[in-house]
Amino acid sequence: MKYSNREEHFDAIIVGSGTCGATIAKELSKQNKRVLILERGGNGPLKESLIGYAKISNEIRVTNKLKDLRAFTTGGTTAMYFAVADPPPIKTFQNMGIDLTQDLENVRKELPVAEISDELIGSQAKKLGESARQLGYEWKKNLMLIDQSKFNHKNYYEVKWKARTYVEEALKNGAKLTNQATVEKVIYENNKAVGVEYTIGKKKKIFRVYGEKIVLSAGSLATPIILKNSGIKNVVDHGFYINPSIGLIGSVPGLSSGENFCGCMGGRLDNDIELMDANFHRFLFNVGMLVSAKPLRIASYPKHIGITVKVKEPLGGQLTEKGKYLKKLTEEDHRKLKKGMEVAHEILKNTGARKIFKTNLISGGALGTVKIKKHIDENLQTEYNNLYVCDGSVLPESDRVTPTLTLVCLAKYLSRHLIAS
Ligand SMILES: Cc1cc2nc3c(=O)[nH]c(=O)nc-3n(C[C@H](O)[C@H](O)[C@H](O)COP(=O)(O)OP(=O)(O)OC[C@H]3O[C@@H](n4cnc5c(N)ncnc54)[C@H](O)[C@@H]3O)c2cc1C
């Protein structure tokens, strides 16, 4: 092998410290494996503020109009997620030869996965739920990754589980973290992955580091680009999905609501149309009103009430030769959005809401860029030995759930395989 320095040789190199990367780093380092985490973002303290979010957020175009939001920082996109934690589609994974049952049991013992207790649900979210049920729509509590035992009615952001805590555990176990390190491609020898090339910050100088196992966990839009740069040609050849989403927000005269865990409840109209509580706590509401060019609404936060409509669109789109993602929404996708918005409007009206407006259409999370059984096998290994993919890119399109809990389970599953091998 080409590495010259034993100090720079690791049992595992993990690319990206988000949900999956952090979990794998923690699991492997617990077993005394020598782990290196290469993370594109910085390691500054996480703060829920305009400046805090501006420092870590990154948008990438997925259609000619829509961009997908992600976070570049230690802990990845959990630094800005809502913490809704749908259970993994166990059967779908079983059909692909992946059994997550044991991993889900372990995760449920380790992390605070639960429905929000009634007293922590804001009055606008309760009103929305009552209205939806009154009109005959399903409206249920969602599981969330929130440590309710530490909640003091102010620390909405702090009590959400974040992957950074797993990185911190990995570091305590002896793992090494290099921040501002952007991995460009994988190094091979005799059809085996043996290391990666990366740059630091904006500098063009290329660094090389070597390890036994290479795990790409850079997120569903970054990992395919690394694979493509590393000579794997057919990634994203079946397209990807983005779950296009839109919010409807109105104001209820006389409503005096407090803060809320956004996404704590919701329902499905059918398999393709989902409605979710969009009652953000104050900071996120303010950001939303600024983005929607409605700054005057900020002062009347307690009167506001909102719903997100999220629809399932088919796989499609491509990763172009120039490394750009491009997908077109169809008339059918817009028809589903329209149907969802009509029901959301009806539910809001029934709460007494007035001055209802639509937010911009957004990508609800681009996923599914890499296919299990096609680009990777049931051990999440690529066509190259010792090169693995574990992140949102491998999530199947058939059973779409909020990804985080599934990703933690999948990362534990891969860790078990890596430790055994
Ligand atoms: C506003 C918002 C709300 C959300 N709410 C929810 C929710 O309520 N529930 C839920 O389940 N999901 C939610 N999500 C989605 C969820 O956060 C992500 O799907 C999940 O974190 C993806 O995990 P990952 O490991 O695939 O990637 P990420 O967590 O994005 O981690 C990837 C990491 O890789 C790093 N990286 C990228 N490129 C490189 C490179 N070339 N070299 C080195 N490092 C690299 C990034 O900096 C990042 O740290 C939300 C997302 C957003 C944006």
Side-chain angles (χ1 to χ4, degrees):
M1 287 202 185
K2 289 197 185 95
Y3 55 86
S4 51
N5 171 355
R6 177 89 195 122
E7 280 302 299
E8 282 302 292
H9 188 250
F10 294 87
D11 293 320
I13 298 174
I14 298 165
V15 178
S17 68
T19 311
C20 290
T23 307
I24 300 163
K26 182 191 84 124
E27 294 295 319
L28 298 188
S29 59
K30 206 164 69 183
Q31 301 299 324
N32 296 320
K33 302 291 177 201
R34 288 162 55 92
V35 171
L36 172 67
I37 311 165
L38 294 171
E39 167 52 52
R40 178 177 182 153
N43 197 29
L46 297 178
K47 270 208 183 134
E48 199 180 39
S49 64
L50 276 180
I51 294 177
Y53 269 36
K55 277 187 187 158
I56 62 172
S57 61
N58 177 277
E59 286 186 310
I60 175 164
R61 195 169 286 286
V62 284
T63 76
N64 59 354
K65 289 203 180 125
L66 308 187
K67 289 180 179 167
D68 197 69
L69 180 63
R70 56 187 176 175
F72 287 166
T73 182
T74 306
T77 309
T78 56
M80 49 200 298
Y81 80 148
F82 300 135
V84 178
D86 289 342
I90 296 279
K91 282 226 168 72
T92 305
F93 278 98
Q94 269 166 353
N95 292 339
M96 294 187 286
I98 296 176
D99 191 356
L100 299 178
T101 322
Q102 173 187 343
D103 304 293
L104 179 59
E105 266 172 38
N106 292 338
V107 173
R108 293 202 74 150
K109 280 183 208 145
E110 196 173 301
L111 294 181
V113 184
E115 291 174 355
I116 293 292
S117 65
D118 283 346
E119 59 274 23
L120 303 191
I121 296 180
S123 45
Q124 71 279 56
K126 282 186 182 146
K127 199 168 182 60
L128 196 65
E130 280 159 18
S131 167
R133 285 188 286 261
Q134 218 173 59
L135 292 166
Y137 298 109
E138 172 204 50
W139 205 261
K140 293 195 289 203
K141 281 188 186 177
N142 289 322
L143 291 174
M144 298 196 88
L145 270 164
I146 286 174
D147 189 346
Q148 297 179 53
S149 68
K150 298 219 171 84
F151 183 60
N152 64 12
H153 295 271
K154 287 192 192 121
N155 54 355
Y156 284 86
Y157 182 67
E158 290 73 16
V159 291
K160 286 183 205 167
W161 175 81
K162 298 177 197 68
R164 193 177 272 208
T165 57
Y166 274 1
V167 178
E168 285 160 0
E169 268 187 62
L171 297 182
K172 277 192 202 136
N173 296 337
K176 185 175 164 190
L177 167 68
T178 304
N179 283 100
Q180 313 288 358
T182 303
V183 171
E184 309 287 348
K185 64 185 212 179
V186 178
I187 308 168
Y188 306 112
E189 241 173 48
N190 304 326
N191 223 34
K192 249 193 206 171
V194 294
V196 295
E197 285 187 3
Y198 65 98
T199 52
I200 292 276
K202 292 203 166 74
K203 293 197 184 112
K204 290 278 170 260
K205 183 172 174 203
I206 292 171
F207 297 84
R208 292 187 181 83
V209 65
Y210 296 89
E212 289 300 317
K213 308 278 181 196
I214 313 296
V215 183
L216 301 184
S217 296
S220 51
L221 297 177
T223 286
I225 293 175
I226 302 173
L227 289 171
K228 208 173 165 79
N229 291 344
S230 311
I232 298 186
K233 296 265 185 305
N234 61 348
V235 279
V236 202
D237 56 356
H238 57 279
F240 56 97
Y241 58 93
I242 63 169
N243 295 321
S245 305
I246 194 161
L248 263 76
I249 296 178
S251 140
V252 182
L255 181 66
S256 169
S257 49
E259 309 236 345
N260 186 58
F261 286 104
C262 180
C264 60
M265 291 197 272
R268 280 184 186 275
L269 287 192
D270 58 35
N271 197 32
D272 287 358
I273 307 174
E274 193 181 341
L275 302 181
M276 255 170 76
D277 171 275
N279 292 300
F280 303 97
H281 76 92
R282 193 181 283 269
F283 164 75
L284 289 176
F285 177 82
N286 293 353
V287 173
M289 290 310 105
L290 290 175
V291 172
S292 304
K294 303 273 180 205
L296 297 179
R297 300 261 185 155
I298 287 176
S300 53
Y301 167 77
K303 290 189 185 145
H304 279 88
I305 191 159
I307 301 188
T308 297
V309 178
K310 181 157 99 178
V311 304
K312 185 169 162 184
E313 97 289 17
L315 283 178
Q318 52 166 323
L319 173 61
T320 66
E321 274 315 307
K322 290 189 173 156
K324 306 268 180 238
Y325 288 93
L326 202 60
K327 174 161 197 174
K328 270 193 185 148
L329 294 185
T330 62
E331 275 182 24
E332 177 59 12
D333 303 332
H334 287 288
R335 191 199 57 77
K336 288 181 205 165
L337 281 162
K338 189 164 170 266
K339 185 174 166 197
M341 282 192 288
E342 279 165 9
V343 175
H345 197 272
E346 184 193 2
I347 296 172
L348 287 179
K349 271 267 175 209
N350 191 44
T351 65
R354 300 200 313 223
K355 297 186 195 158
I356 298 170
F357 73 95
K358 285 186 290 187
T359 64
N360 295 331
L361 183 64
I362 55 165
S363 159
L367 298 162
T369 44
V370 171
K371 243 184 165 34
I372 298 170
K373 295 280 189 191
K374 182 175 184 191
H375 305 113
I376 52 173
D377 65 17
E378 66 278 9
N379 293 321
L380 312 188
Q381 188 168 220
T382 64
E383 65 195 76
Y384 289 95
N385 281 337
N386 297 341
L387 177 61
Y388 297 83
V389 174
C390 185
D391 58 23
S393 52
V394 310
L395 292 179
E397 68 98 20
S398 51
D399 270 304
R400 298 187 200 175
V401 294
T402 59
T404 305
L405 193 53
T406 304
L407 291 177
V408 178
C409 293
L410 204 59
K412 281 191 177 263
Y413 165 86
L414 174 60
S415 305
R416 284 197 285 124
H417 169 75
L418 294 177
I419 290 161
S421 67

